[in-house]
Amino acid sequence: MPQVYPKVTLLSHTPDPDAMIAAAAKLCYSSSDIEALREKISREEAEKFVKMLAGIGHQSPLEHTLFIFGIEGVSRSLLAQITRHRIASFSVQSQRYVRMSNFEYIMPPAVAEDEEASRLFTESMNEAAEKYDRLTEILYRREKKRLTDSGETEESADKKAQKTAIEDARFVLPNAAATKMVMTMNARSLLHFFEERCCNRAQWEIRSVAEQMLKLVKEVAPAVFAKAGPPCVKGACPEGKMTCGKAAEVRDKYAAL
């Protein structure tokens, strides 16, 4: 069974996000029609205006830009965390409809660094895969017999039994089992996401995903995400006694991202 690692792709986004946000914000203070307003904004003006919006905390125009990500090589454990960000849309690979034989998995770095822990972890994944396949087969045979005995055709009984079997067998799959998803967020939600998940106190896997996402959106919307990242990038650390104590190091890291 293969071990995999988090990978993020920016699939699509609102064209010229900085200009769109600037046009939406300027409309609040302009008598011009929308199309003319948008056409008059140069790239330099858009970046300057977006940075001004950030300075005064006017964030509602950021909601007019969307970013669509492909996220793969992540665990079901991460899925439970990322879907807590409710102002977002998710389409996730289903364990009800996709048979997970020989499933991919994510191994935490702390486990991978220790030979004994790594061996035990791998054995656990192999055992879970074996139990999943055995359980699937037992449930499949029983359900197919029940369906054919009740008058279902062989083909119909086969399809229904397979679905029912993997739907219940999935309960033995571990949190480490890999999944993949498409996620859409607007810029305002992304800024909040980066504040929460780029912090050193965030769990390592979702932090890796957040950092990849931030690097991608900075390339297409540099003004919007110029100071994106954990809170200490643009101010004092809010974590109090729980701080990592590495604010200067974190600021350098995100300045170079």
Side-chain angles (χ1 to χ4, degrees), residues 235-249:
C237 174
E239 297 294 329
K241 65 180 182 180
M242 302 298 289
T243 182
C244 70
K246 300 178 180 179
E249 180 182 322

Side-chain angles (χ1 to χ4, degrees), residues 177-188:
T179 191
K180 58 191 73 173
M181 70 192 80
V182 171
M183 182 184 77
T184 301
M185 274 190 181
N186 66 50
R188 187 177 190 176

Side-chain angles (χ1 to χ4, degrees), residues 54-86:
I56 63 175
H58 187 188
Q59 292 194 327
S60 62
L62 303 181
E63 297 174 15
H64 295 295
T65 58
L66 295 178
F67 299 83
I68 305 173
F69 303 91
I71 303 174
E72 52 195 323
V74 294
S75 69
R76 299 290 292 195
S77 178
L78 176 133
L79 179 62
Q81 295 186 76
I82 203 167
T83 50
R84 291 176 186 147
H85 294 269
R86 294 184 295 277

Side-chain angles (χ1 to χ4, degrees), residues 69-128:
F69 303 91
I71 303 174
E72 52 195 323
V74 294
S75 69
R76 299 290 292 195
S77 178
L78 176 133
L79 179 62
Q81 295 186 76
I82 203 167
T83 50
R84 291 176 186 147
H85 294 269
R86 294 184 295 277
I87 305 179
S89 298
F90 300 91
S91 295
V92 183
Q93 182 185 57
S94 174
Q95 291 181 343
R96 289 185 66 199
Y97 295 96
V98 179
R99 183 159 179 166
M100 304 301 292
S101 295
N102 198 37
F103 62 85
E104 296 177 330
Y105 63 88
I106 289 77
M107 181 183 293
V111 175
E113 291 168 1
D114 186 281
E115 184 177 348
E116 182 181 3
S118 176
R119 184 180 69 253
L120 181 61
F121 190 93
T122 303
E123 289 173 358
S124 298
M125 295 301 104
N126 291 334
E127 182 179 352

Side-chain angles (χ1 to χ4, degrees), residues 25 29 46-58:
Y29 313 102
E47 291 188 2
K48 182 178 178 181
F49 199 80
V50 168
K51 289 177 180 177
M52 183 271 290
L53 291 176
I56 63 175
H58 187 188

Side-chain angles (χ1 to χ4, degrees), residues 28-47:
C28 300
Y29 313 102
S30 174
S31 60
S32 176
D33 66 82
I34 296 173
E35 195 59 37
L37 187 64
R38 186 178 179 186
E39 290 176 355
K40 286 192 296 184
I41 300 175
S42 68
R43 180 170 296 277
E44 292 75 19
E45 289 174 320
E47 291 188 2

